[in-house]
Amino acid sequence: MQVQIAYQFPDEQRAYRFLNELKHWPVADVRARYHRGNRSVRVDYQYADTGFDPTSSELDSLAASYGGQETSL
C-alpha cells in the first residue's frame, strides 16, 4: 500500500533540512518533495506488508525535531 503524508514547517529552512535529511534516511525508502509551497513537504513510501511498519512514527518524530507537524494533503 502506498502511503502519503504531508508535513508543515514554520519556515523554508526547516522544511529544506527535513527534505534533505530524507534523501539519505536509513529508516526506510521514502520519496520526499515540496508540497504546496516551500514550507510543506510531502512524503511517499510503500507500507511494509509484514508486521508493524514504524515508518510513519519515525517520520513524525523527525519532522517534530525540525518543528514540523503532519497536515492534510
Side-chain angles (χ1 to χ4, degrees):
M1 169 174 50
Q2 186 73 16
V3 178
Q4 299 173 343
I5 305 172
Y7 295 96
Q8 184 71 34
F9 295 88
D11 54 53
E12 178 183 4
Q13 184 177 23
R14 293 181 207 194
Y16 178 77
R17 287 179 180 168
F18 175 74
L19 186 64
N20 193 46
E21 187 159 343
L22 289 178
K23 289 182 181 180
H24 308 288
W25 201 44
V27 176
D29 184 23
V30 299
R31 181 175 168 217
R33 62 181 179 271
Y34 284 118
H35 174 71
R36 294 185 185 168
N38 57 14
R39 295 185 328 171
S40 181
V41 175
R42 177 177 152 181
V43 181
D44 301 324
Y45 70 94
Q46 189 68 29
Y47 188 84
D49 293 333
T50 57
F52 176 73
D53 186 349
T55 306
S56 180
S57 176
E58 294 286 339
L59 286 167
D60 288 349
S61 295
L62 181 62
S65 74
Y66 289 106
Q69 60 184 357
E70 191 172 337
T71 186
S72 63
L73 289 170

